[in-house]
Amino acid sequence: IDQCQFVITGPSQSGKSTLLSILTSVFSQKLQISNEMDNYLFFPINWLIQQACIEDVQKLYYLVVTTTINMLRASHLEFLPIIGSLQQWLLSLVEMNALLPLPAPIIHFTGFPCDIINQIGRKIHDYWTQKHFKAFLTETMSFPNLIANAFQYKSVVYIIDHFDAAGYIIKPVDHFEGSEDESVSLCDLICDSIANSPHFVASQNDADFFQVFSLYDNDRQLSTEYLIKGEGEKELFVQQSQIVLNMSMCKGCPAYCAKFIRLCEMAEEAAKDSAVKSQYSRLKSVVDMSRNEIIQHEFIRLCLLLGAADTDGNFDEEKMNSLLSLP
């Protein structure tokens, strides 16, 4: 299990997030089959969705704590009566000047690691109140590991989509104004946190991703390029601009291949169900025009995606512009 450290790369919208979802689902099923599910705390996050939280340190802390506690709630149902109080207490660490004691329901709850949680909370509160910027951020990004240790999990399983969307240098502003610490790279802190844990990481843009993430010795890189080896027999031909699109141009990327197959199906259905069968007829039904317009936009969208990932010069700007003006 500890060797399950995967990095998923590939062109934009080529199926990286889908592959990430499939891999983590299989991993979860394997844990269930081997009765290991209760020994691992999952921590899923999509940094593209959470970008608004990145530059606000307090919001970033809220995000990490809330995600961790939600996953703890899902795996420890016996803590349901007190999990809400625990979350409120953890959030109060960056809201109150004084360190509040753990709520009474938590203290009197059998089997709860009160001492360890108190130590974690005190350290976070001290870093916050004393304006130790880098130490606070480090503790924040290590929070899932700290909670996993407190509740005797074997490890955290990090599931991170669009990793490079977190490629920010965070400055000590607002509450940390005047801190002696310098700016901190968020991606460096994330890499340090996940280094010794099972993780599934997907990129958004490979060029940006490899600037902020270095492959570890144990990481397995999976590329969505040429993941599918089927060539396919169908091709799409636009006569006016002499553009031919076939499966081999999809570079074996799952999402591109799926879009191409769906586009072929749409074209076949439009031809079969056409109200006016002759393509040379001047008369066109509203339904036919609508179908063709949808196909045109989907075709252009696929070409733009392939053009962005293209290294063979099959799609240039002149061809793309000409497509927009064609009937």
Side-chain angles (χ1 to χ4, degrees), residues 52-61 170 174:
C53 302
I54 292 175
E55 293 185 283
D56 188 322
V57 176
Q58 191 170 11
K59 287 183 179 178
L60 183 61
Y61 173 76
I170 306 178
D174 299 330

Side-chain angles (χ1 to χ4, degrees), residues 101-283:
L102 276 172
I106 295 179
I107 294 174
H108 297 108
F109 196 90
T110 305
F112 194 88
C114 295
D115 292 340
I116 301 176
I117 296 298
N118 248 324
Q119 292 172 13
I120 295 172
R122 181 176 296 279
K123 188 178 290 188
I124 291 172
H125 184 263
D126 288 346
Y127 289 151
W128 175 263
T129 54
Q130 296 171 18
K131 298 187 178 182
H132 294 316
F133 178 65
K134 184 175 181 179
F136 177 79
L137 272 178
T138 302
E139 200 74 5
T140 296
M141 300 318 299
S142 300
F143 184 78
N145 290 324
L146 297 174
I147 291 297
N149 291 333
F151 289 92
Q152 298 182 343
Y153 288 97
K154 289 183 178 179
S155 180
V156 181
V157 179
Y158 286 93
I159 304 167
I160 305 176
D161 200 4
H162 299 108
F163 181 93
D164 44 303
Y168 283 75
I169 302 296
I170 306 178
K171 300 179 180 179
V173 295
D174 299 330
H175 173 79
F176 291 97
E177 196 78 52
S179 172
E180 296 179 357
D181 296 324
E182 298 178 352
S183 301
V184 176
S185 169
L186 180 59
C187 283
D188 286 348
L189 298 181
I190 298 172
C191 286
D192 291 341
S193 298
I194 71 175
N196 299 316
S197 302
H199 56 256
F200 299 84
V201 176
S203 70
Q204 180 186 17
N205 180 286
D206 284 1
D208 296 334
F209 176 75
F210 286 113
Q211 289 182 357
V212 296
F213 186 93
S214 299
L215 288 175
Y216 300 112
D217 293 338
N218 295 327
D219 274 319
R220 282 92 173 153
Q221 183 180 359
L222 300 175
S223 176
T224 52
E225 282 197 88
Y226 306 109
L227 197 62
I228 294 176
K229 297 181 180 179
E231 292 295 325
E233 298 178 354
K234 298 177 181 178
E235 56 183 25
L236 293 166
F237 174 55
V238 179
Q239 185 174 5
Q240 296 95 321
S241 59
Q242 296 296 304
I243 292 179
V244 179
L245 194 62
N246 54 47
M247 183 73 90
S248 63
M249 292 180 178
C250 295
K251 293 182 172 291
C253 297
Y256 295 168
C257 293
K259 290 180 191 295
F260 175 78
I261 292 170
R262 176 58 186 150
L263 196 55
C264 289
E265 292 173 350
M266 290 170 65
E268 289 175 340
E269 289 171 3
K272 183 180 69 174
D273 299 334
S274 173
V276 181
K277 296 297 182 182
S278 174
Q279 60 175 315
Y280 302 107
S281 173
R282 293 186 178 182
L283 297 174

Side-chain angles (χ1 to χ4, degrees), residues 79 81-93 96 98-110 112-115 117-118 121:
F79 292 148
I82 60 167
I83 204 75
S85 300
L86 174 63
Q87 182 171 335
Q88 290 177 3
W89 181 79
L90 288 168
L91 297 181
S92 74
L93 298 174
M96 302 293 183
L99 178 62
L100 300 177
L102 276 172
I106 295 179
I107 294 174
H108 297 108
F109 196 90
T110 305
F112 194 88
C114 295
D115 292 340
I117 296 298
N118 248 324

Side-chain angles (χ1 to χ4, degrees), residues 35-51:
N35 293 321
E36 289 281 353
M37 193 68 179
D38 294 337
N39 294 323
Y40 291 87
L41 179 67
F42 281 72
F43 184 82
I45 194 164
N46 184 334
W47 284 114
L48 183 62
I49 296 174
Q50 305 296 347
Q51 276 187 312

